[in-house]
Amino acid sequence: MTLEEYQLKYTEEDAVGWDCIDENLKNIYEEQEPQHFASALPYNLGGEDPLNGISVFNSNKQDDHFHIISYGFSDLFYNEEAVNNDFSGYGFELTMRVKKQGDENIHWAMNLMNNLAKYVVSSGKWFEEFHFIPTNSPIRLDYNTDLVAIAFALDPELGAIDTPNGRLEFLQMVGITQKEYDMLLENPVTSETAKLIEVLRQDNPLLITDLDRK
């Protein structure tokens, strides 16, 4: 798309990248209305959360779970300077699938997403498929879980999309145990994380994070 075509198709009122994310989600969830949690105050105006918002869908595929999607790592709005960029913003949005554990508490997962966003914004570093990072505590503090780190894999359903603001991948956060994290630390290369993801995928194709997994 040329700049002229971009200017003809969109206006400054259009959420160009955001609408592309919503369209991709609609292919999976059709008319389901997600819970959407918007940032009360933009980060650049002193707000605490770098993400513009987070949407949460209910899925009964494989196991009943929450499917959580971020808005804010990619270029969400009208931006003439983004035309023909290889990547939209940082080139990704985060997702997470959390098995329903008998309560509706998903705020811990959203807080975790926002903490990762703070890391990206402050460090200038970004995440890619098969990266991994410790959470420096159990991933859910008020729950007895062995999961203490996150590995990133391409979301099995959302994949990657090309938008007028550039390409973005939907990177799914997958909870991993201390043993798995230590194994990755011993040989911190992409291929080892890929092997771990493939092992997890054998019994868990959607890579749903189960807080009770040992």
Side-chain angles (χ1 to χ4, degrees), residues 3-205:
L3 176 58
E4 183 179 359
E5 290 170 334
Y6 190 92
Q7 292 169 330
L8 287 172
K9 186 170 183 178
Y10 304 109
T11 73
E12 292 184 357
E13 304 301 315
D14 289 323
V16 179
W18 194 304
D19 289 344
C20 290
I21 294 172
D22 284 350
E23 184 178 341
N24 196 24
L25 288 164
K26 192 172 183 180
N27 290 334
I28 299 170
Y29 291 106
E30 299 178 343
E31 300 305 315
Q32 183 184 151
E33 286 294 327
Q35 297 181 72
H36 186 76
F37 301 85
S39 176
L41 183 67
Y43 194 64
N44 59 359
L45 296 180
E48 294 184 0
D49 299 330
L51 297 177
N52 297 74
I54 294 174
S55 283
V56 182
F57 290 85
N58 290 293
S59 177
N60 58 10
K61 296 178 182 177
Q62 187 178 310
D63 285 306
D64 287 345
H65 66 277
F66 299 107
H67 192 188
I68 307 167
I69 298 94
S70 73
Y71 292 77
F73 292 98
S74 64
D75 206 337
L76 298 173
F77 304 107
Y78 182 90
N79 182 4
E80 293 181 1
E81 294 181 0
V83 178
N84 293 323
N85 278 356
D86 290 335
F87 298 101
S88 175
Y90 288 102
F92 68 91
E93 291 291 349
L94 290 179
T95 78
M96 190 174 192
R97 296 172 188 269
V98 179
K99 184 176 180 179
K100 295 185 178 182
Q101 311 289 157
D103 64 29
E104 297 294 309
N105 184 350
I106 49 175
H107 292 285
W108 66 269
M110 296 191 296
N111 289 337
L112 180 55
M113 273 190 182
N114 266 303
N115 286 338
L116 292 175
K118 291 174 184 177
Y119 167 78
V120 170
V121 170
S122 64
S123 69
K125 299 177 181 179
W126 58 90
F127 300 118
E128 296 179 7
E129 186 177 17
F130 305 133
H131 282 182
F132 63 93
I133 189 170
T135 53
N136 299 321
S137 68
I139 65 172
R140 178 173 172 179
L141 289 174
D142 61 349
Y143 197 97
N144 183 18
T145 180
D146 287 352
L147 305 182
V148 298
I150 294 293
F152 298 94
L154 203 62
D155 188 294
E157 290 186 301
L158 295 178
I161 59 173
D162 292 311
T163 80
N165 291 342
R167 184 173 177 81
L168 75 91
E169 296 182 341
F170 293 90
L171 292 182
Q172 185 167 314
M173 300 158 54
V174 183
I176 59 175
T177 65
Q178 185 70 57
K179 181 179 179 181
E180 291 163 344
Y181 175 66
D182 289 343
M183 179 187 69
L184 295 180
L185 278 183
E186 289 178 6
N187 193 7
V189 294
T190 298
S191 59
E192 288 303 309
T193 311
K195 288 178 185 177
L196 173 61
I197 292 295
E198 279 308 307
V199 169
L200 295 175
R201 207 191 299 270
Q202 290 175 11
D203 297 321
N204 181 11

